[in-house]
Amino acid sequence: MMKKFQTVRGMKDIMQSESKAYRALENKLISAANQYGFNEIKTPILEETSLFIKSIGDGTDIVEKEMYSFLDSKKNSISMRPEGTASCARALIQNGLNDSINKVWYSGPFFRHERPQKGRYRQFHQFGAEFIGVENYEADFEIISLVDYIWKSLNINPTLIINSIGDHTDRKNYVKVLVDYLKKYETSFNDNEKNKLKLNPLRILDSKNEKTKDILSSAPKINDYISKESKIHFENLLSILDAKNIKYKKDDNLVRGLDYYNRTVFEYIDTKSNTQNTICAGGRYDFLFENLCDKKIPALGFAIGIERLMEYSGYIDKENKLVNFYIIILDEDNYLYSQNIANLIRNISKKFIVSNSYNYNNIKSQLKKADKLSADYCVIIGAEESKNSECQLKSMNSGLQENININALESYIKDNIL
Ligand code: ATP
Ligand code: MG
């Protein structure tokens, strides 16, 4: 028997209609980011593995177990990008653009070898933006304000949760007291948590385990350990969010899984779902550049998981409702004439999709086909119509059919369909 090929586990095809919705959604995100003065950068899918180890951190889930890494023929360790921020920073440094303010966005596939389930794939898509070069809370506000603007343009309202995890020294001090506290309960932890306690204790804070959550409720809070500067930065951000009426929930236990974050961290979540409910995640990473180029450059950003956003918003592009025309020809001799009409319609509006029937069967079977393809209108051309420079335009919705001269077709369509 012939082998039936399938996608690699955890990866999926995005077929025609889903792809259309996907692109329309992506266009909305792009246009919002452009309006906020962000510009696109495209970085390669493959990077040196060490870039991710150095930036994301080696005690993190991504670096520890989720990367697709391999040795190339020269024995260099290469990885498929698991996220976008490290590559953006690398690209700005490499291109000598790290001295000024930079606002960039990216959109594309990312790869993580995790257990596939709803909202979790091995190839998924992120749209992200990075704001580099501004330390003030105004940059944090601008990033959150952009995401808020995106949600408004999609008519959705996920919940913003936010926290400040202070700067690296604050975090070191906090981790010490946190570990001292958690060690007392080590026997109640599962293996994964025990491992985190050793490698990345902060990650225990976002445990989904009820017993652990209980233990955490009286654990020391990071807020009590962050520096005065970090506190003021955070309070300034919150008060401008209040002033702009952007709703948020402070969450002491929100930490992000990547090492490079400091100060502001945030997520947008779907409160109606319990699993894989983070649609967007972001935060400040003032120490990432320093790690990569020995120069301190403040920055922050966010990434939206496109598959999760599609699922959450049930996105269909209502504003750009397309109109499908289906051309029915009854005789091969009229093919050229039909193509003139097809182009005439396409030129009226980008909303108009025009396709042809590729057979010259009887009209009934062609109309049936048009129906199956969800055509909105059929343009019917027989010998008579072509001789008189006319066509029949049939609305598949109302059934109304009119005979229209080709010279009047454009104005008829503009008046009645556009
Ligand atoms: P999670 O806790 O869900 O694993 P994360 O902290 O690993 O998320 P980030 O690295 O912050 O996620 O990625 C940003 C967003 O990208 C997530 O909020 C989510 O919407 C999406 N995302 C991350 N991993 C996946 C995946 N494997 N499949 C689909 N979407 C993903
Ligand atoms: Mg993850």
Side-chain angles (χ1 to χ4, degrees), residues 181-182 204-205 207 212-219 221 253:
Y181 172 84
L182 293 176
I204 296 182
L205 293 183
S207 171
T212 309
K213 278 191 189 167
D214 253 10
I215 296 169
L216 287 170
S217 62
S218 31
K221 300 283 177 256
N253 289 334

Side-chain angles (χ1 to χ4, degrees), residues 66 112 114 120:
E66 295 174 358
R112 295 184 195 178
E114 20 188 3
R120 204 176 282 295

Side-chain angles (χ1 to χ4, degrees), residues 112 114 119-121 124 126 256 278-281 303 305 308:
R112 295 184 195 178
E114 20 188 3
R120 204 176 282 295
Y121 310 99
F124 59 100
Q126 284 185 343
R256 301 282 310 126
T278 305
I279 298 157
C280 167
R308 291 195 200 169

Side-chain angles (χ1 to χ4, degrees), residues 131-245:
F131 188 156
I132 293 110
V134 177
E135 191 169 10
N136 295 351
Y137 69 92
E138 285 95 331
D140 305 50
F141 172 70
E142 199 171 308
I143 279 286
I144 291 176
S145 157
L146 165 58
V147 183
D148 187 67
Y149 184 69
I150 289 172
W151 301 154
K152 291 209 167 87
S153 78
L154 297 170
N155 233 335
I156 57 173
N157 191 20
T159 303
L160 169 60
I161 54 175
I162 192 164
N163 193 18
S164 175
I165 56 172
D167 288 321
H168 280 189
T169 40
D170 310 345
R171 229 155 97 183
K172 268 194 202 126
N173 295 335
Y174 173 66
V175 167
K176 257 188 228 136
V177 271
L178 179 68
V179 170
D180 282 347
Y181 172 84
L182 293 176
K183 276 234 165 95
K184 290 186 277 186
Y185 302 93
E186 198 172 347
T187 46
S188 348
F189 291 159
N190 61 29
D191 285 349
N192 182 15
E193 288 163 341
K194 279 182 190 149
N195 202 25
K196 280 182 180 159
L197 188 58
K198 275 199 215 98
L199 290 172
N200 196 351
L202 277 182
R203 259 328 312 249
I204 296 182
L205 293 183
D206 60 12
S207 171
K208 305 268 187 304
N209 189 337
E210 287 305 322
K211 214 159 145 196
T212 309
K213 278 191 189 167
D214 253 10
I215 296 169
L216 287 170
S217 62
S218 31
K221 300 283 177 256
I222 197 159
N223 266 292
D224 300 326
Y225 292 83
I226 67 177
S227 67
K228 204 168 152 213
E229 292 77 19
S230 289
K231 247 191 188 138
I232 294 172
H233 186 274
F234 192 44
E235 279 160 12
N236 281 336
L237 171 63
L238 296 185
S239 60
I240 190 164
L241 291 175
D242 289 332
K244 295 299 288 175
N245 206 18

